[in-house]
């Protein structure tokens, strides 16, 4: 679902309305990153095409006769005298005020560029130190868990360590790219500020009556820029925290646990299929082909039976019982009514009517939050919030019983919210 949004650079308004503020900010941040990536590709392609054209032109150009001597010949006017041009007075020249404006803008740009280069040197040193420390911490963690590594195959442990090192290097490169983009933006902002400052100094004597209005506009503009920067910075920090958390928490242990037994064995799959209430499809049923978007309850129910029940969505980890937190196709309002009298940290998971996936409804101290869970691929992950991918829906829930969903909200899944109806609201999914 996220890849489709980034490919089309469009999100349906109904789906956007389902996202909370954190999910919206991070989704907009990722869309902006994709815009920059496409822009860089176009610029690189244009640069290469221009280089090819220049090379072809030079190859086709006829050689000139070489001159042994060098001389200078002055351009002369109609009167036979040396032609002289006075800037701003000749026909077609720019007015002096415009030339002055351009000179001021250029001075501001060069000054901002110089400051940005110095800022980037400091930023690069911070990034290098940060990821060097992260690598040292990861090595220390592996040494501390030596008892686990000794129980596993040493070759597999070595491969996992190399994978983590590659992941850290990849994160470092991403951090550098983000830092360069941030410096570039700051350079542009600084150039505008210097331009306005120089312009103000130049016009101070002529427009002293307009100073107060100009300062008020500048203050409002700076306040709006700071607000936008704060939201973007918070989205970047949240995305970076979620990305690095998967490495620092110990992905080696998580993958080892996954390979050692979290996947269903063949016997377990057979047992689950035998314990289902009714067969999912009759022999004469049509082959299931998932539409691009859910458009009816019947289609959602069939999707759940075809794709989710085989993946044990909604089941407890080691039994064939439905998890207490799992609910059927219920609305946001119904979910909030179920959570109304619960304490902070209560939650439930309901089948979404907007995407191929689920919605996690969470009880806050003074309200509710709703997070979309994308299940359109072969993994489960929060749409726009958490980059971690989980093999099962239960794994995602268990993970966030110990790890917060967002740093700004600090959401931990503490108390599952069960059924209040008989039969349960998920009955149509298993009939």
């Amino acid at each position: 679902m996220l890849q489709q949004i980034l490919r089309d650079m469009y999100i349906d308004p109904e789906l956007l309305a389902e996202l909370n503020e954190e999910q919206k900010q991070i989704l907009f941040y990722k869309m902006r990153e994709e815009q920059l990536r496409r822009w860089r590709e176009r610029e690189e392609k244009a640069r290469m095409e221009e280089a090819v054209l220049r090379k072809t032109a030079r190859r086709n150009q006829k050689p000139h006769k070489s001159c042994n001597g060098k001389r200078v010949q002055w351009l002369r006017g109609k009167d036979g005298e040396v032609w002289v041009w006075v800037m701003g007075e000749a026909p077609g020249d720019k007015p002096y005020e415009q030339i002055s404006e351009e000179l001021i803008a250029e001075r501001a740009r060069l000054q901002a560029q110089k400051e940005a280069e110095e800022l980037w040197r400091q930023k690069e040193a911070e990034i290098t130190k940060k990821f060097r420390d992260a690598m040292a911490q990861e090595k220390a963690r592996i040494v501390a868990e030596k008892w686990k590594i000794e129980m596993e195959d040493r070759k597999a442990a070595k491969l996992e360590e190399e994978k983590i090192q590659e992941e850290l290097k990849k994160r470092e490169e991403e951090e550098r790219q983000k830092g360069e983009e941030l410096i570039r933006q700051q350079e542009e902002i600084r150039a505008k500020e210097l331009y306005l400052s120089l312009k103000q100094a130049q016009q101070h004597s002529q427009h002293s009556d307009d100073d107060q209005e100009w300062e008020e506009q500048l203050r409002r503009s700076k306040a709006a820029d700071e607000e936008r920067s704060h939201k973007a910075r918070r989205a970047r920090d949240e995305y970076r925290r979620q990305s690095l958390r998967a490495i620092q928490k110990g992905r080696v242990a998580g993958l080892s646990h996954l390979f050692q037994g979290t996947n269903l064995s063949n016997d377990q799959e057979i047992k689950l299929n035998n314990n289902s209430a009714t067969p999912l499809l009759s022999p004469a049923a049509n082959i299931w082909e998932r539409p691009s978007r859910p458009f009816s309850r019947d289609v959602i129910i069939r999707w759940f039976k075809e794709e989710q029940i085989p993946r044990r969505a909604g089941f407890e980890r080691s039994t064939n019982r439905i998890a207490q937190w799992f609910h059927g196709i219920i609305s946001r309002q119904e979910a909030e009514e179920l959570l109304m009298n619960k304490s902070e940290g209560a939650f439930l998971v309901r089948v979404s009517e907007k995407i191929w996936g689920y919605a996690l409804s969470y009880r806050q101290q003074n309200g509710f939050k709703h997070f979309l869970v994308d299940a359109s691929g072969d993994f489960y992950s929060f749409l726009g919030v958490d980059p971690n991918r989980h093999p099962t829906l239960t794994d995602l829930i268990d993970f966030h019983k110990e790890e917060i969903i967002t740093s700004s909200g600090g959401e931990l899944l503490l108390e599952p919210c069960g059924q209040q109806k008989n039969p349960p609201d998920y009955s149509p999914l298993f009939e």
Side-chain angles (χ1 to χ4, degrees), residues 79-262:
D79 56 359
E81 297 296 330
V82 175
W83 183 80
V84 178
W85 168 63
V86 179
M87 182 178 65
E89 295 183 3
D93 280 1
K94 298 178 182 178
Y96 173 80
E97 291 77 12
Q98 184 178 352
I99 297 174
S100 177
E101 290 270 351
E102 292 176 354
L103 290 174
I104 292 174
E106 181 64 14
R107 286 176 56 193
R109 187 189 66 79
L110 293 175
Q111 179 65 22
Q113 183 179 5
K114 181 178 179 181
E115 294 177 6
E117 290 174 354
E118 179 63 27
L119 185 59
W120 169 240
R121 282 195 292 271
Q122 299 175 4
K123 183 73 174 177
E124 187 177 33
E126 293 175 2
I127 292 174
T128 302
K129 183 178 183 300
K130 176 180 177 181
F131 282 89
R132 188 188 301 118
D133 295 342
M135 183 71 73
Q137 291 176 4
E138 185 59 29
K139 289 183 178 180
R141 184 189 64 76
I142 293 175
V143 172
E145 294 183 355
K146 185 178 180 181
W147 60 272
K148 175 176 281 188
I149 297 177
E150 290 176 351
M151 295 176 62
E152 299 175 349
D153 182 75
R154 293 186 178 277
K155 183 177 180 180
K158 180 65 176 176
L159 292 174
E160 291 297 340
E161 182 179 358
E162 292 175 354
K163 181 178 179 181
I164 291 173
Q165 291 176 352
E166 292 175 358
E167 185 74 10
L168 283 171
K169 289 179 180 179
K170 181 180 178 182
R171 296 297 180 192
E172 181 178 2
E173 182 61 27
E174 292 176 354
E175 189 81 0
R176 287 178 180 275
Q177 293 177 0
K178 293 174 184 176
E180 290 174 355
E181 179 59 24
L182 181 61
I183 295 300
R184 187 188 66 77
Q185 294 175 357
Q186 290 179 349
E187 179 183 346
E188 293 176 355
I189 294 173
R190 181 58 176 161
K192 293 178 182 178
E193 291 176 352
L194 289 170
Y195 168 79
L196 291 174
S197 178
L198 292 170
K199 183 66 176 177
Q200 181 187 19
Q202 183 189 42
Q203 298 180 347
H204 181 73
S205 59
Q206 301 176 0
H207 305 283
S208 58
D209 295 338
D210 298 333
D211 285 351
Q212 187 173 359
E213 181 181 354
W214 180 86
E215 290 178 359
E216 178 62 22
Q217 292 178 352
L218 181 61
R219 186 191 63 79
R220 289 198 298 266
S221 176
K222 286 185 177 180
D225 289 342
E226 289 177 359
E227 177 66 19
R228 285 193 294 269
S229 299
H230 175 70
K231 288 184 178 180
R233 185 166 56 253
R234 187 171 63 185
R236 286 196 302 270
D237 292 343
E238 176 67 18
Y239 181 71
R240 189 180 302 116
R241 183 189 70 83
Q242 296 280 5
S243 300
L244 294 177
R245 183 182 63 185
I247 301 174
Q248 294 173 349
K249 184 168 179 64
R251 184 166 291 176
V252 174
L255 289 173
S256 299
H257 177 65
L258 178 62
F259 287 120
Q260 287 173 5
T262 55

Side-chain angles (χ1 to χ4, degrees), residues 23 184 344 364 376:
Q23 287 178 304
R184 187 188 66 77
E344 183 178 8
Q364 290 182 289
S376 59

Side-chain angles (χ1 to χ4, degrees), residues 281-330:
L281 288 174
S282 62
N286 294 329
I287 297 176
W288 164 250
E289 184 175 352
R290 185 175 67 194
S292 59
R293 288 283 302 275
F295 55 84
S296 69
R297 291 177 68 91
D298 292 339
V299 170
I300 296 173
I301 291 173
R302 184 170 183 185
W303 164 77
F304 185 84
K305 291 180 178 180
E306 293 282 351
E307 298 188 20
Q308 297 300 295
I309 289 182
R311 296 170 64 183
R312 291 182 56 85
F315 287 90
E316 294 181 352
R317 181 178 297 279
S318 56
T319 71
N320 285 334
R321 292 194 300 270
I322 306 300
Q324 186 179 358
W325 41 261
F326 185 75
H327 289 256
I329 309 173
I330 62 175

